[in-house]
Amino acid sequence: MTPKAELPAHAVSVRDLQVAYGEGDDMRPVLDGVNFHVQRGDVTCMVGGSGCGKSTLLKSIIGLVTPRSGTIDLLGHDVLSMEPEEREPLLRRVGVMFQYGALLNSLTVGENVALPIQMHTNLETSLITELVRTRLHLVGLDDTENLMPTELSGGMRKRAALARAMSLEPEILFCDEPGAGLDPITAAGIDQLLMSLNRNLGTTVVVVTHELLSIERLDGGLLMLDGGRVAYSGTAREAREAGGAGLREFFHPG
């Protein structure tokens, strides 16, 4: 029997990443030599002040922004060296929950969740319908498949966006500000869902956030960006006890 290939330990590994917007005299550096990695099966929060490069880093990893230099290893593949047609099957193994949900208002909730499955598989309609119901059940949205996004509350839209992000059973899930604009109870429910996905499905979860309570609840790794560089990389617990000025100001504002 041929031995099963061992999976790389890192779900994401970024080395010497440089990203800038504009050209010539108008060029604005955003990321300046970023290095970090995320272990498979971990939960990691990506934090930092406004404009520090969090969203740009996330977009670079998933291929929405092209870096000027550096390397990005995603699920064992060098993303930046891949041709677009090679990158597509890799990105099917990745789920993204955008900050404002990014649901299509012209489609029902069920159609939104079904869209990635329809685009990337040849499954029969009846099976897709069952998968959609399963994904919605996973996030506590039973019997909502025929509702329109405009009929959902803010928290329900975030849950529907999470169901769509999980539609293809990704190995890694990126979430951009999942608790933004939600009341504390609803935000806590989103965090609990993310922890459940990590614990029960083994999904690697990377969360861009500035919510201190979310960081405490998720209680995993922490990457802090400051001025386009990594100011801290370690665990959230260690970060709260560390003596660096940036960490003190972040965890104890004012």
Side-chain angles (χ1 to χ4, degrees):
M1 180 181 295
T2 303
K4 186 177 180 179
E6 186 175 343
L7 294 173
H10 296 161
V12 182
S13 184
V14 172
R15 292 181 294 278
D16 301 322
L17 195 68
Q18 304 254 0
V19 177
Y21 295 132
E23 297 290 342
D25 294 339
D26 296 326
M27 187 175 71
R28 180 172 62 88
V30 180
L31 299 177
D32 185 17
V34 169
N35 291 273
F36 80 99
H37 64 263
V38 175
Q39 294 282 111
R40 281 181 178 267
D42 278 2
V43 176
T44 299
C45 289
M46 193 182 298
V47 304
S50 298
C52 71
K54 302 186 301 293
S55 293
T56 296
L57 178 54
L58 175 58
K59 290 175 182 177
S60 298
I61 294 170
I62 62 177
L64 297 180
V65 169
T66 302
R68 291 181 176 267
S69 62
T71 62
I72 299 173
D73 188 284
L74 179 61
L75 298 173
H77 297 270
D78 184 353
V79 175
L80 301 182
S81 69
M82 302 175 75
E83 297 295 330
E85 60 271 17
E86 297 175 311
R87 195 180 301 174
E88 183 180 340
L90 172 63
L91 293 179
R92 291 178 201 162
R93 299 162 61 189
V94 174
V96 182
M97 179 184 177
F98 294 99
Q99 181 172 351
Y100 299 107
L103 297 175
L104 300 176
N105 287 329
S106 60
L107 302 180
T108 66
V109 171
E111 288 168 341
N112 268 279
V113 177
L115 191 58
I117 308 174
Q118 293 168 336
M119 291 177 63
H120 299 297
T121 75
N122 295 315
L123 297 178
E124 295 181 358
T125 301
S126 59
L127 185 52
I128 293 177
T129 300
E130 188 59 36
L131 284 173
V132 167
R133 288 174 179 161
T134 300
R135 301 296 182 265
L136 289 172
H137 174 73
L138 189 68
V139 299
L141 287 181
D142 292 303
D143 302 320
T144 60
E145 59 264 33
N146 293 321
L147 297 179
M148 303 302 292
T150 53
E151 298 179 89
L152 304 180
S153 67
M156 292 173 74
R157 283 196 294 272
K158 289 289 181 80
R159 287 172 177 262
L162 180 55
R164 186 180 62 185
M166 293 298 298
S167 61
L168 294 174
E169 296 186 348
E171 296 169 47
I172 181 168
L173 174 66
F174 293 100
C175 302
D176 191 3
E177 300 283 5
L182 301 180
D183 64 84
I185 294 175
T186 304
I190 295 293
D191 290 337
Q192 289 164 0
L193 273 174
L194 294 176
M195 289 187 290
S196 175
L197 292 172
N198 171 258
R199 183 172 56 249
N200 297 327
L201 300 181
T203 309
T204 305
V205 179
V206 178
V207 180
V208 173
T209 185
H210 64 276
E211 303 286 347
L212 294 178
L213 287 176
S214 288
I215 295 167
E216 184 175 342
R217 281 189 293 261
L218 295 171
D219 192 27
L222 186 80
L223 176 76
M224 173 176 276
L225 296 181
D226 185 19
R229 294 176 176 268
V230 175
Y232 173 85
S233 180
T235 69
R237 292 186 183 185
E238 292 167 343
R240 285 192 290 268
E241 299 169 1
L247 289 170
R248 282 200 307 271
E249 292 169 0
F250 183 82
F251 283 103
H252 306 284

